[in-house]
Amino acid sequence: MSKIGSKRTSCGRKAMLLGSGELGKEVALELQRMGVEVVACDKYPDAPAMHVADKALVFNMLDPEALRENIEREKPDHIIPEVEAIATPVLVQLEKEGYHVTPTANAAFLTMNREGIRRLAAEDLGLTTSPYRFASDFDEFVEAVKTVGIPCVVKPIMSSSGHGQSVIKKESDIENSWHIAQEGGRAGAGRVIVEGFVDFDYEITLLTVRSVAGTSFCEPIGHIQIDGDYRYSWQPQAMTPEAKSKAQEIARKITDALGGYGIFGVELFVKGDEVIFSEVSPRPHDTGMVTMISQDLSEFALHARALLGLPVPSIRFYGPSASRAVVVEGNTRCIEMENLDKVLEEPGVQMRIFGKPEICGHRRMAVILATDDSVEEARAKAERAYNKLNVTVH
């Protein structure tokens, strides 16, 4: 029998979020609704999840000693990785010592590193992936590009939101792509993956939930990325029955291999009825923010419920929906979202402003959500709302 005691008592539950961005904020809110005490951690103060958490801790989560020290002091019932930049070997050791990591410490370890998850998918599970090679230095990198072929995509093995990612379209791009990858990795300079281009019709995120009730799937989410960073998503993405079945089969295989309870964002390429594995995140996915308007249980509510050991008997999908990310460029600590009355004037439009304290370069600061009678109409509505938004960078 699952139970949750009174908050901040000896019988209460405490969760520790390792990463406190906009996705972590929504997870924190869902945990709060279940009476769970939330400790939000990140490398900078005033991160979004810290606005709603019971306690905030600022430290470098890539520092093994700092990570262990903070976890041992807080003694959380649930450790919830929400970003890639974590000293995951510490989590593996702490799990052996009795701590509970969502979904598992090994899942966090493998998926925070593109090499670990790609080798698991392609070499251990035999899933179809794009051709790939890894490289640790520039000479290996040049050889990897030669083997995979041009054009190809280059990514640090640890990065997110497109940081450090580039496309090599001609031989003269090779050196610059290497430098971009070295500068953009979450853990600093290091190994990279070189991936061959895949011929696909569209790409999807298949949100897959593992709970005590078994494995459940949300409706497939279509999305568009620019420079590796999500800009638009919609649900459902139209798929043939055969492609959808294959996608679910692949998602089930990879998430069964990772184990544990929680939500996984499984990224897949689709060409006709063929499905190719791309990546998996053992946590809510940025493209899945559309579920805040499209489902009775958002991906964040599903994650919270599953990691607490509670069942997910069903997921009710309301209808065609879309999201439009608001990405702002600048270098400031003062950003104003203006004209919100016009942004929200149409029925079926919602908005989430993340409350991030500053921008250095470009940063996702909000998301617009919309529903309508079809995906096309929902996407058009979200875009209309976005075009009415004015953002002032002071």
Side-chain angles (χ1 to χ4, degrees):
M1 179 186 297
S2 297
K3 56 186 179 181
I4 297 175
S6 297
K7 201 170 184 178
R8 296 177 179 170
T9 69
S10 59
C11 62
R13 291 239 208 144
K14 181 192 285 189
M16 192 170 186
L17 282 174
L18 300 180
S20 298
E22 61 266 34
L23 306 184
K25 180 178 183 178
E26 296 297 329
V27 173
L29 287 167
E30 296 296 343
L31 290 169
Q32 296 275 17
R33 292 186 176 107
M34 296 301 296
V36 177
E37 181 181 353
V38 178
V39 179
C41 309
D42 216 310
K43 63 182 180 181
Y44 68 96
D46 297 325
M50 295 178 181
H51 305 164
V52 298
D54 297 277
K55 186 175 182 179
L57 297 175
V58 179
F59 64 96
N60 179 7
M61 293 175 293
L62 284 169
D63 182 337
E65 292 183 6
L67 182 60
R68 175 177 277 275
E69 178 185 333
N70 281 282
I71 290 173
E72 288 181 341
R73 184 177 62 249
E74 293 297 328
K75 296 180 173 55
D77 299 287
H78 303 276
I79 301 170
I80 309 171
E82 286 295 312
V83 294
E84 287 85 357
I86 300 171
T88 49
V90 172
L91 299 184
V92 174
Q93 185 57 43
L94 286 169
E95 190 173 74
K96 292 176 182 176
E97 296 170 17
Y99 285 91
H100 183 272
V101 181
T102 299
T104 66
N106 189 52
F109 176 74
L110 286 173
T111 57
M112 296 301 182
N113 182 313
R114 286 191 170 94
E115 183 166 4
I117 195 62
R118 180 56 63 94
R119 292 196 186 281
L120 171 66
E123 298 169 23
D124 296 344
L125 300 179
L127 302 180
T128 302
T129 70
S130 61
Y132 64 92
R133 288 292 186 276
F134 296 99
S136 296
D137 57 42
F138 184 69
D139 289 340
E140 283 187 3
F141 177 65
V142 172
E143 189 61 32
V145 172
K146 187 184 301 182
T147 302
V148 170
I150 296 175
C152 57
V153 179
V154 179
K155 306 172 187 174
I157 60 170
M158 280 186 66
S159 71
S160 64
S161 300
H163 293 294
Q165 182 172 321
S166 64
V167 177
I168 296 177
K169 297 179 180 178
K170 55 188 182 301
E171 197 167 322
S172 59
D173 294 335
I174 293 176
E175 186 170 353
N176 188 47
S177 285
W178 171 255
H179 290 305
I180 291 172
Q182 295 306 295
E183 293 169 1
R186 293 293 290 268
R191 279 169 74 77
V192 303
I193 182 173
V194 179
E195 295 184 272
F197 265 89
V198 174
D199 180 25
F200 62 90
D201 296 328
Y202 54 90
E203 54 186 323
I204 67 166
T205 303
L206 186 59
L207 294 174
T208 304
V209 190
R210 284 177 54 88
S211 76
V212 292
T215 299
S216 306
F217 303 99
C218 297
E219 287 295 315
I221 297 171
H223 54 87
I224 293 174
Q225 299 185 25
I226 297 175
D227 296 328
D229 195 8
Y230 135 82
R231 292 292 195 274
Y232 311 85
S233 70
W234 56 89
Q235 190 184 26
Q237 166 64 50
M239 302 179 71
T240 66
E242 185 174 352
K244 189 173 182 178
S245 176
K246 286 182 179 178
Q248 292 181 350
E249 180 183 354
I250 290 170
R252 187 184 295 274
K253 281 184 179 179
I254 194 73
T255 55
D256 281 352
L258 293 172
Y261 293 150
I263 198 161
F264 298 77
V266 183
E267 296 181 55
L268 303 162
F269 298 114
V270 184
K271 176 73 173 178
D273 290 335
E274 297 305 310
V275 182
I276 298 171
F277 174 80
S278 176
E279 293 185 6
V280 58
S281 303
R283 58 190 183 277
H285 200 275
D286 52 6
T287 63
M289 284 192 280
V290 68
T291 62
M292 290 189 282
I293 199 170
S294 67
Q295 301 179 173
D296 63 336
L297 295 171
S298 71
E299 62 170 344
F300 311 105
L302 292 168
H303 196 48
R305 183 181 287 212
L307 72 88
L308 291 173
L310 303 173
V312 178
S314 66
I315 303 169
R316 183 181 178 189
F317 178 65
Y318 290 141
S321 306
S323 78
R324 175 61 158 97
V326 178
V327 178
V328 182
E329 294 189 9
N331 193 338
T332 182
R333 286 188 60 86
C334 187
I335 308 102
E336 286 186 308
M337 302 278 177
E338 303 172 351
N339 215 32
L340 299 181
D341 53 330
K342 296 298 181 183
V343 172
L344 298 172
E345 67 183 352
E346 282 194 69
V349 176
Q350 297 180 23
M351 187 175 184
R352 305 286 190 276
I353 298 175
F354 306 143
K356 294 178 180 177
E358 65 179 355
I359 303 172
C360 295
H362 72 276
R363 201 172 192 192
R364 189 166 57 228
M365 302 299 288
V367 66
I368 292 170
L369 308 166
T371 60
D372 215 311
D373 293 332
S374 69
V375 163
E376 291 74 21
E377 289 171 302
R379 289 182 63 185
K381 183 183 287 185
E383 190 67 14
R384 285 196 300 273
Y386 173 81
N387 289 332
K388 296 170 187 174
L389 177 67
N390 293 328
V391 180
T392 301
V393 178
H394 293 281

